[in-house]
Amino acid sequence: MIIKTSEFIISAVKKFQYPIDNRVEIAFVGRSNVGKSSIINALTNKRHLAKIGKTPGKTRLINFFLINNDFHLVDLPGYGYAKVSKKEQASWGKIIETYLYDREELKRVVLLVDSRHKPTADDITMYEWIKHYGYDVIVVATKKDKISNNDLRKQEKLIRETLKIPDDKKLYLFSSANKRGRDELVDYLFEDLASE
């Protein structure tokens, strides 16, 4: 699939603020510093589409982007950022849960984990949560450029084992910095959901 156009549509917190045009949605979720905005910008080839904050936890809203005038890419708030209050963390969790609960347009959730580290308890909870709600979940390990080729296999094995990803399910390792494998990842994430 070729992404020809991408534009920011709306930031939402409450359900009534979500777009109601019945377009298919693909959501991205992950820890606050996992690089969600960076991967959205890399996949769409638009440098400033999603705002990248200097501090983790910048995305506190649900951001909707219209892709090819055909479907929405949805950037969910990051979780697990320790420097905000428990109350604020809980409110972000509620925003995510409200969106995931019974959202008919949502067809797939992309869970981003940091390829350099073992997935956290929050990552495991999120992975289980997405499956619990019945969505197709794809795991992408970000920041691939920051680990050596020797460690790639080891990290992939660690992520698979920690999240209990079945062997027949693909796990993508990707770097937003060099974008290697971008076209294949775009095809894998979107092709069967979006019309050409």
Side-chain angles (χ1 to χ4, degrees):
M1 188 192 92
I2 297 166
I3 294 179
K4 295 171 185 158
T5 61
S6 52
E7 60 179 304
F8 169 75
I9 297 297
I10 195 169
S11 291
V13 176
K14 308 278 189 207
K15 225 169 183 166
F16 72 85
Q17 298 168 314
Y18 302 166
I20 46 168
D21 54 16
N22 296 321
R23 285 183 169 96
V24 163
E25 292 173 1
I26 299 149
F28 284 68
V29 69
R31 282 177 63 80
S32 294
N33 56 353
V34 79
K36 276 188 294 95
S37 300
S38 297
I39 199 170
I40 287 168
N41 293 341
L43 293 174
T44 57
N45 264 335
K46 223 175 192 181
R47 224 162 149 191
H48 302 294
L49 182 67
K51 303 259 189 307
I52 297 169
K54 287 184 174 58
T55 53
K58 184 79 175 161
T59 306
R60 298 170 188 212
L61 306 164
I62 299 175
N63 293 311
F64 291 83
F65 303 93
L66 180 61
I67 307 296
N68 289 354
N69 205 28
D70 185 27
F71 65 97
H72 288 122
L73 201 150
V74 185
D75 183 13
L76 295 172
Y79 54 79
Y81 185 49
K83 288 189 183 175
V84 297
S85 70
K86 289 270 184 270
K87 188 179 172 188
E88 195 164 357
Q89 284 184 44
S91 80
W92 297 355
K94 196 80 194 138
I95 290 167
I96 296 169
E97 188 178 14
T98 300
Y99 173 73
L100 288 178
Y101 181 72
D102 203 27
R103 180 69 177 156
E104 251 178 69
E105 292 85 349
L106 180 60
K107 301 302 177 195
R108 177 168 294 150
V109 181
V110 182
L111 173 64
L112 303 178
V113 297
D114 191 323
S115 64
R116 300 168 297 177
H117 308 296
K118 180 179 178 177
T120 65
D122 285 335
D123 292 327
I124 296 166
T125 301
M126 184 55 69
Y127 186 64
E128 293 302 323
W129 218 14
I130 297 163
K131 290 195 302 182
H132 167 76
Y133 282 117
Y135 299 114
D136 178 30
V137 58
I138 291 173
V139 180
V140 176
T142 61
K143 308 187 185 188
K144 179 186 172 186
D145 58 301
K146 306 223 187 280
I147 51 176
S148 69
N149 287 334
N150 292 340
D151 287 335
L152 274 178
R153 284 261 180 267
K154 191 176 83 181
Q155 288 305 110
E156 184 176 353
K157 187 171 184 286
L158 180 66
I159 292 165
R160 272 191 183 282
E161 285 173 357
T162 307
L163 293 177
K164 298 185 175 72
I165 300 170
D167 290 338
D168 62 344
K169 192 96 171 138
K170 197 144 174 68
L171 166 65
Y172 255 94
L173 282 90
F174 183 74
S175 161
S176 298
N178 62 36
K179 297 189 200 173
R180 280 198 199 106
R182 176 199 164 271
D183 293 347
E184 292 89 333
L185 183 55
V186 166
D187 284 347
Y188 186 66
L189 294 180
F190 307 127
E191 199 159 51
D192 60 330
L193 295 181
S195 54
E196 281 299 328

